[in-house]
Amino acid sequence: MLKRFYPDEYLDSTYEIPFEEWKEKGYRGVLFDIDNTLVPHGAPADERARQLFASLRALDMKYCLISNNQLPRVKPFAKEVGAFYIENAHKPSRKSYEKAMELMGTDVKNTIFVGDQLFTDVYGARRTGMFSILVKPIHPKEEIQIVLKRYLEKIVLYFYGRRKRKR
């Protein structure tokens, strides 16, 4: 039952993902959550984020931001990094993941999702059938509803870790 929440990869940071290697494996698009995946919650795009998206453009990879936040948060960030975006995405609903891939011209076989939450980001990506990468949150400051979910995530990640060690 918990397997539906397991990411395909679990890394310390978005900024350590070797996108060149994923491109060589045939991936052409990346969906990103914003808050605590790319920058601390509520922060604007920083130089590290701008460089990440510049490197994706250089690789000719498509990308889209998919966030449960509202337009005033998502649109300025997307403009700063030059990304497609979907706000108020209702993750883990598949609809926004599918819409994002349509915007990028990609599909579930060549698109990766990167996010920091199991029950919205990873679960939505898995429900959609795409490869998912969970990253550790950038900053501990989070909204109360997310703080509560983090306790449940620890349980899932415990069993995920046990499963990975058995392999």
Side-chain angles (χ1 to χ4, degrees):
M1 181 176 130
L2 293 178
K3 291 177 188 173
R4 72 180 72 174
F5 301 110
Y6 291 173
D8 295 297
E9 296 277 338
Y10 183 29
L11 302 172
D12 286 334
S13 169
T14 299
Y15 299 100
E16 71 176 39
I17 299 171
F19 288 106
E20 304 82 12
E21 292 175 21
W22 291 107
K23 170 91 187 252
E24 289 173 14
K25 292 177 183 178
Y27 288 92
R28 299 293 177 254
V30 187
L31 304 182
F32 291 97
D33 177 50
I34 299 172
D35 288 322
N36 263 339
T37 298
L38 295 167
V39 294
H41 186 80
D46 58 16
E47 186 57 31
R48 189 164 67 159
R50 286 189 290 275
Q51 287 177 0
L52 170 68
F53 288 97
S55 70
L56 290 171
R57 279 191 297 278
L59 289 170
D60 197 30
M61 289 188 79
K62 305 296 183 198
Y63 47 86
C64 183
L65 305 173
I66 176 172
S67 176
N68 284 346
N69 277 308
Q70 302 303 308
L71 190 63
R73 167 67 178 132
V74 180
K75 185 176 180 179
F77 194 99
K79 184 177 181 184
E80 185 70 26
V81 298
F84 291 116
Y85 65 91
I86 297 175
E87 82 284 353
N88 197 24
H90 300 285
K91 292 181 288 184
S93 171
R94 292 188 306 254
K95 186 176 181 181
S96 292
Y97 292 80
E98 292 165 350
K99 181 179 177 185
M101 287 184 286
E102 185 178 316
L103 286 171
M104 296 186 306
T106 62
D107 59 42
V108 295
K109 290 184 175 95
N110 63 9
T111 306
I112 299 168
F113 185 88
V114 180
D116 70 298
Q117 293 186 54
L118 287 177
F119 302 123
T120 52
D121 299 331
V122 170
Y123 183 49
R126 290 192 55 93
R127 291 181 70 217
T128 307
M130 65 177 42
F131 192 89
S132 65
I133 299 175
L134 177 70
V135 295
K136 293 179 181 172
I138 289 176
H139 194 274
K141 179 183 177 250
E142 298 184 293
E143 296 173 334
I144 188 65
Q145 70 271 17
I146 296 172
V147 171
L148 297 173
K149 285 193 280 186
R150 293 289 185 205
Y151 289 110
L152 297 172
E153 285 184 352
K154 285 180 183 178
I155 296 167
V156 175
L157 289 172
Y158 169 79
F159 288 104
Y160 170 78
R162 282 184 56 188
R163 181 174 177 242
K164 291 294 261 193
R165 284 189 296 276
K166 286 181 181 177
R167 289 182 180 182

